[in-house]
């Protein structure tokens, strides 16, 4: 653990409280119905607040009983505004004899990352270039118009329909990257404008739910590749991931699927089905069960626009078939881009590591090129995105050398690979995990 060092009230206070606590006391309050966390050495009782937390109850609960300083800074571009909500939650502070970090978090790396963040802020790398996002939205709308005009002018032959589907899938994929920008509050200075445009892009341009995305995706960023906390590694027993889970399943003789063949059936139920089946069902269930009528209206506006445009050409069943095929194509694009950065990396149970270590173990980069930037929505800079999720993506290439320098100085592995290597590593890591499962299933 690192050394203490009391920060000043003006720098770090989230309110006022009279208690003085040790880390051991804080860690006892990490269960549902009894949750504390620490921000800048200030202890806050979030037990009653979690249900009202705008980002969802789960993401904030994942930090119960530990230091959430870096996560708080990462997710809130308006920290002074957010601290107003924290003031009533303050119950005290850490004792002066207590270190800044809980458990075995690396104090040197924690301090190095916070100094890096200060440098990044001084360099203005959190400032947005409005023209970048205007052009990106413009090219999405242009693709939508081009797909419609293609059918209107040239008819509904097989070739025209196939080309229309490819154009629409491209538009949907690029809209997915744009909603990701707004969802991370990385475009406008004021969060409310990001939220509004997020609902427009993910709802009206894609037919999905902003709240569903927020509650799911922020958990992934808060605790990436950590079982029971990152929903992206909850495979519903269809796959086993990493090196720990396969052995656990094997020892317990768990065999929901023939996991030693998962690198093969991945091609059948992974990329083809994630968006058109699993995500679609989950989004609709979430909006109805949570009575999220605002998101439902935004989502229905997309389908109203789509069927108004394409039903006159294809009829209802033909239009349904077309959008299903578009989702099928989009799903392949989405799965390969998002999983090449994570599945080959460390996937395990909670280890309570510092922010820099946790994010670097769970992410890797794909080398930069104009195509890779566009194709992945700049998520080829996955490391920088995870370290600074509210940073505009056009600045990732500028912050990357700074991140790499810190990693080299402190011996932290910084992985970068080619696009093809990223795709290949998804399959090879699934094969390796399947082999681990089979060995444990047969011999342990």
């Amino acid at each position: 653990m690192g050394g203490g060092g009391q920060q000043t009230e003006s720098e770090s206070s989230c309110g006022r409280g009279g208690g003085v606590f040790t880390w051991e006391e804080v860690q006892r309050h990490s269960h549902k119905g009894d949750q504390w966390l620490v921000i800048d050495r200030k202890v806050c009782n979030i037990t009653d607040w979690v249900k009202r937390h705008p980002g969802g109850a789960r993401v904030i609960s994942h930090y119960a009983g530990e230091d959430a300083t870096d996560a708080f800074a990462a997710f809130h571009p308006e920290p002074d505004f957010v601290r107003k909500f924290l003031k009533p939650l303050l119950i005290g502070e850490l004792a002066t004899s207590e270190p800044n970090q809980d458990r075995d978090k690396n104090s040197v790396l924690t301090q190095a990352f916070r100094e890096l963040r200060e440098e990044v802020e001084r360099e203005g790398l959190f400032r947005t270039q409005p023209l970048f996002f205007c052009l990106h939205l413009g090219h999405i709308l242009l693709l939508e118009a081009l797909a419609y005009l293609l059918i209107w002018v040239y008819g509904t032959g097989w070739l025209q329909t196939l080309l229309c589907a490819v154009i629409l899938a491209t538009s949907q994929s690029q809209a997915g990257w744009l909603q990701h920008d707004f969802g991370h509050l990385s475009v406008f200075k004021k969060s409310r404008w990001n939220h509004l445009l997020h609902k427009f892009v993910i709802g009206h341009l894609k037919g999905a739910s902003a709240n569903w995305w927020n509650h799911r995706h922020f958990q992934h960023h808060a605790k990436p590749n950590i079982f029971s906390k990152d929903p992206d590694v909850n495979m519903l027993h269809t796959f086993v991931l990493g090196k720990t889970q396969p052995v656990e399943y094997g020892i317990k003789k768990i065999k929901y699927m023939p996991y030693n063949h998962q690198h093969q059936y991945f091609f059948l139920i992974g990329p083809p089905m994630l968006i058109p089946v699993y995500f679609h069902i989950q989004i609709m269930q979430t909006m109805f069960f949570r009575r999220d009528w605002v998101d439902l209206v935004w989502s229905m506006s997309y389908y109203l626009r789509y069927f108004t445009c394409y039903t006159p050409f294809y009829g209802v069943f033909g239009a349904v078939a077309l959008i299903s095929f578009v989702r099928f194509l989009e799903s392949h694009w989405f799965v390969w881009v998002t999983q090449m950065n994570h599945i080959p990396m460390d996937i395990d149970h909670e280890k309570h590591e510092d922010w820099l270590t946790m994010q670097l173990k769970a992410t890797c980069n794909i080398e930069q090129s104009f195509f890779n930037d566009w194709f992945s929505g700049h998520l080829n800079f996955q490391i920088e995105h995870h370290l600074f999720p509210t940073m505009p993506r056009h600045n990732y290439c500028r912050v990357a050398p700074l991140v790499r320098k810190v990693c080299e100085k402190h011996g932290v592995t910084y992985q970068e690979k080619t696009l093809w290597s990223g795709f290949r590593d998804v399959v090879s890591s699934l094969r390796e995990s399947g082999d681990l499962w089979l060995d444990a299933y047969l011999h342990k």
Side-chain angles (χ1 to χ4, degrees):
M1 289 188 178
Q6 185 72 34
Q7 297 185 11
T8 65
E9 183 78 11
S10 61
E11 290 176 331
S12 62
S13 176
C14 61
R16 293 183 178 277
V20 178
F21 305 99
T22 64
W23 277 117
E24 183 179 357
E25 291 173 303
V26 172
Q27 290 163 14
R28 286 201 293 263
H29 301 272
S30 59
H31 309 286
K32 186 176 181 180
D34 181 18
Q35 298 180 332
W36 295 3
L37 56 71
V38 176
I39 299 175
D40 291 330
R41 298 186 62 85
K42 304 299 178 180
V43 182
C44 296
N45 184 343
I46 61 170
T47 304
D48 297 325
W49 168 248
V50 293
K51 294 181 180 180
R52 293 178 287 143
H53 182 238
R58 291 183 179 180
V59 64
I60 191 172
S61 296
H62 292 337
Y63 276 89
E66 62 180 289
D67 179 50
T69 303
D70 293 316
F72 176 83
F75 294 132
H76 300 99
E78 299 178 279
D80 293 336
F81 173 76
V82 178
R83 288 184 190 279
K84 297 177 182 178
F85 296 92
L86 292 179
K87 285 182 180 180
L89 310 180
L90 181 73
I91 58 174
E93 59 187 24
L94 292 174
T96 56
S97 59
E98 289 295 299
N100 287 336
Q101 293 78 40
D102 58 291
R103 298 179 174 87
D104 294 323
K105 294 179 181 177
N106 191 308
S107 61
V108 175
L109 291 179
T110 298
Q111 184 60 32
F113 173 73
R114 292 176 183 176
E115 291 174 356
L116 172 62
R117 185 177 182 88
E118 291 176 358
E119 181 181 359
V120 168
E121 290 175 346
R122 287 195 304 269
E123 294 291 328
L125 297 184
F126 285 96
R127 288 199 292 267
T128 300
Q129 296 176 7
L131 181 61
F132 174 89
F133 293 103
C134 289
L135 291 175
H136 193 79
L137 175 60
H139 105 287
I140 292 169
L141 299 178
L142 182 62
L143 288 168
E144 292 275 346
L146 182 61
Y148 177 78
L149 289 173
L150 175 67
I151 300 302
W152 186 40
V153 174
Y154 295 102
T156 58
W158 284 104
L159 182 60
Q160 295 94 315
T161 299
L162 177 61
L163 184 56
C164 174
V166 171
I167 295 173
L168 286 175
T170 302
S171 172
Q172 285 295 291
S173 296
Q174 292 301 319
W177 308 144
L178 184 60
Q179 70 81 21
H180 181 265
D181 298 317
F182 288 116
H184 274 294
L185 314 178
S186 64
V187 180
F188 295 103
K189 290 183 179 180
K190 294 295 183 180
S191 296
R192 65 175 178 269
W193 287 108
N194 285 298
H195 289 309
L196 178 61
L197 268 295
H198 187 213
K199 288 186 180 294
F200 168 75
V201 176
I202 196 174
H204 184 66
L205 296 186
K206 288 192 60 61
S209 165
N211 287 338
W212 165 82
W213 185 89
N214 286 337
H215 292 174
R216 179 187 177 91
H217 194 66
F218 288 152
Q219 291 185 73
H220 163 69
H221 272 269
K223 295 289 184 177
N225 283 14
I226 295 177
F227 293 122
S228 78
K229 294 188 176 182
D230 179 1
D232 286 3
V233 295
N234 177 13
M235 295 296 173
L236 301 176
H237 304 299
T238 56
F239 300 97
V240 289
L241 302 177
K243 297 180 180 179
T244 300
Q245 186 185 55
V247 175
E248 292 176 346
Y249 271 47
I251 291 175
K252 296 177 181 178
K253 310 306 176 187
I254 297 175
K255 187 183 180 181
Y256 291 98
M257 300 285 285
Y259 298 119
N260 52 311
H261 296 293
Q262 65 178 4
H263 61 288
Q264 297 169 325
Y265 66 72
F266 169 77
F267 291 94
L268 300 176
I269 66 173
M273 298 181 65
L274 183 65
I275 288 180
V277 179
Y278 177 65
F279 274 4
H280 183 73
I281 293 173
Q282 191 179 66
I283 289 169
M284 293 302 168
Q285 285 181 335
T286 299
M287 290 191 293
F288 278 104
F289 290 164
R290 295 182 180 178
R291 299 181 180 181
D292 195 349
W293 308 131
V294 173
D295 276 13
L296 182 62
V297 169
W298 278 110
S299 177
M300 290 302 102
S301 74
Y302 165 79
Y303 289 104
L304 178 63
R305 175 174 59 87
Y306 170 79
F307 283 106
T308 299
C309 290
Y310 290 97
T311 299
F313 298 111
Y314 292 100
V316 174
F317 291 109
V320 170
L322 176 61
I323 190 61
S324 298
F325 184 56
V326 169
R327 295 295 190 217
F328 171 82
L329 296 176
E330 177 197 0
S331 188
H332 281 80
W333 192 329
F334 174 82
V335 169
W336 287 106
V337 167
T338 57
Q339 298 312 304
M340 65 184 178
N341 303 108
H342 292 298
I343 283 185
M345 304 304 291
D346 183 59
I347 305 175
D348 210 332
H349 300 290
E350 176 67 88
K351 296 179 181 178
H352 298 288
E353 294 173 309
D354 59 90
W355 184 259
L356 183 68
T357 300
M358 177 178 66
Q359 301 296 348
L360 267 292
K361 281 187 175 182
T363 58
C364 66
N365 279 6
I366 302 300
E367 63 184 13
Q368 184 188 19
S369 69
F370 178 82
F371 175 79
N372 287 353
D373 291 352
W374 174 83
F375 180 72
S376 68
H378 288 84
L379 293 182
N380 49 328
F381 290 97
Q382 193 73 217
I383 291 173
E384 289 70 30
H385 171 57
H386 265 256
L387 291 176
F388 307 104
T390 60
M391 177 180 290
R393 57 169 147 137
H394 52 69
N395 286 335
Y396 292 159
C397 61
R398 297 175 60 190
V399 74
L402 302 178
V403 174
R404 190 188 293 269
K405 182 179 179 181
V406 170
C407 291
E408 289 176 352
K409 179 179 179 180
H410 296 281
V412 178
T413 301
Y414 182 105
Q415 288 196 38
E416 183 178 83
K417 59 185 72 171
T418 65
L419 183 65
W420 173 248
S421 294
F423 291 163
R424 184 186 59 205
D425 288 350
V426 172
V427 180
S428 61
S429 63
L430 288 173
R431 181 198 294 268
E432 180 183 359
S433 297
D435 290 342
L436 288 172
W437 169 82
L438 183 61
D439 179 68
Y441 188 84
L442 295 176
H443 305 119
K444 295 183 181 181

